[in-house]
Amino acid sequence: MLAGGLGGARFLHGVRALLGIEGGPGPTTEEPDGITVVGNTGDDLWLFGLKVCPDLDTIMYSLGGGLDEDRTWGRAAETFNAAEELRAYGAQPDWFGLGDRDIGTHLMRTQLLEAGYPLSAVTAALCQRWQPGVRLLPMTDDRVETHVVITDDQGRRAIHFQEWWVRLHAEVAAERFVMVGAEDATPGPGVVEAIMTADVVLLPPSNPVVSIGAIASVPGIATALRSTEAPVVGVSGLVSGAPVRGMADACLSAIGVEPRAGAVAVHYGARPAGFLDGWLVDLADAGEVDEVAAAGIACRAVPTMMTDHGAAAALVGKALDFAAELRSGQ
Ligand code: FO1
């Protein structure tokens, strides 16, 4: 799977539930149950000297049982004393909430990075504690950060994705997304191999632009997606013209794609020119199946709302059945 944050995490709970390993520590990260997640690092930022990896942490915490499921980011049972101290000093930025427990993760990550370990090794080390039951691979060990071009009273400028997402709530129109550093980045260790040797590649309902799009911006990853012998099946994160969570609509409009399930599939494209062999849309969007099929992508309408692990497991099961049919049909 290529995954961003919350949508990917919820879908992964479905994978684990389907495999009957939900809830337990599950297999160790060395020998996971064959589940490899290529995680988005475009959301990453350096803050007060700490390296923060929001999408990797959301997957790691959620599958490890440490995510604050209500806040949907950061750690459960969190406190914000350090953040309050920073605010008392007038430290900037003050709009990105760093929790005390979460800071422990960033201190550990930063210490290991500064000791010379690549992000992939650091992520594996952090996952030793959390035992997410999947192999979590950063899309790259190189620095890639999504920045957003906006125009406001300070003129046209690029700001970090997190400032646009958290401080501005994506309310200022994004003119363009720039994955800074992507052109010089190489796929992380194991990433291309995982895609090329997979039985199936799943694109969960993550943000098509700043999550799946950021991962695909790393040279070599899109090529692997297009050429793997595994069937590639994606799931729409938009239902009835709106994102189920998050602000993918604000991202899609920046690249001229309508916030519709069918439009996202057409944007991803049919393999080998594009990424998809199959696309699942919600029952509410059954009327868009023909548009997707006309783009050369097999399409099915199924229940896609992951209201609990059981619903997520059912959705994953549908995606895997669909992939099996596509593989046998190929
Ligand atoms: N999202 C917010 O809306 N407000 C925050 O203050 C915030 C802090 C934060 C800290 C650590 C972390 O891993 C994630 C955090 N997020 C916050 C969520 C983050 O913006 C998203 O997880 C992704 O980057 C977008 O999918």
Side-chain angles (χ1 to χ4, degrees):
M1 274 177 57
L2 277 58
L6 200 67
R10 298 227 157 122
F11 196 78
L12 275 163
H13 278 290
V15 175
R16 284 163 52 88
L18 195 73
L19 296 175
I21 54 177
E22 180 54 34
T28 62
T29 44
E30 275 69 40
E31 286 305 316
D33 206 291
I35 309 166
T36 298
V37 181
V38 177
N40 172 38
T41 61
D43 288 6
D44 294 3
L45 70 165
W46 281 92
L47 211 53
F48 304 112
L50 299 178
K51 172 88 168 179
V52 181
C53 300
D55 277 356
L56 296 181
D57 288 349
T58 296
I59 301 263
M60 180 175 76
Y61 288 159
S62 179
L63 294 180
L67 186 78
D68 184 306
E69 295 289 345
D70 299 330
R71 208 185 313 118
T72 74
W73 50 263
R75 285 280 284 109
E78 186 60 285
T79 53
F80 291 86
N81 298 301
E84 283 165 28
E85 291 301 302
L86 287 165
R87 194 186 303 273
Y89 284 112
Q92 286 298 329
D94 61 357
W95 41 265
F96 193 81
L98 279 184
D100 298 324
R101 292 182 184 278
D102 198 30
I103 286 172
T105 297
H106 310 320
L107 285 168
M108 194 68 215
R109 177 184 291 119
T110 305
Q111 184 185 48
L112 290 171
L113 287 171
E114 288 177 350
Y117 296 98
L119 183 61
S120 47
V122 174
T123 303
L126 298 176
C127 284
Q128 278 300 318
R129 169 191 172 187
W130 290 103
Q131 294 295 309
V134 301
R135 193 166 53 127
L136 179 56
L137 303 178
M139 68 189 197
T140 177
D141 280 339
D142 300 314
R143 183 171 178 176
V144 175
E145 288 184 10
T146 301
H147 285 236
V148 189
V149 176
I150 62 166
T151 301
D152 63 7
D153 52 4
Q154 296 176 50
R156 169 167 293 150
R157 57 204 179 98
I159 60 174
H160 191 285
F161 166 76
Q162 292 295 348
E163 181 172 2
W164 180 70
W165 188 265
V166 176
R167 188 171 71 81
L168 300 179
H169 303 289
E171 282 158 5
V172 174
E175 295 168 23
R176 199 155 52 89
F177 290 98
V178 183
M179 280 64 182
V180 177
E183 63 281 353
D184 302 323
T186 55
V191 167
V192 169
E193 185 208 3
I195 296 171
M196 295 306 286
T197 61
D199 299 305
V200 60
V201 176
L202 297 177
L203 303 188
S206 293
N207 187 307
V209 183
V210 294
S211 292
I212 303 297
I215 297 170
S217 77
V218 176
I221 293 182
T223 308
L225 266 180
R226 295 190 182 100
S227 53
T228 179
E229 290 182 9
V232 182
V233 172
V235 179
S236 174
L238 292 114
V239 176
S240 304
V244 173
R245 292 191 68 91
M247 300 176 275
D249 45 348
C251 302
L252 287 164
S253 60
I255 61 169
V257 175
E258 289 175 67
R260 287 186 307 102
V264 172
V266 172
H267 164 64
Y268 281 148
R271 291 204 312 143
F275 297 157
L276 292 177
D277 297 314
W279 184 245
L280 294 180
V281 303
D282 192 79
L283 294 173
D285 296 321
E288 304 194 16
V289 168
D290 292 347
E291 170 190 4
V292 179
I297 302 163
C299 188
R300 285 265 167 79
V302 300
T304 62
M305 302 305 279
M306 299 185 282
T307 46
D308 56 24
H309 292 338
L315 175 59
V316 172
K318 292 249 186 334
L320 291 174
D321 292 347
F322 197 16
E325 277 177 49
L326 292 170
R327 187 185 8 248
S328 58
Q330 266 167 351

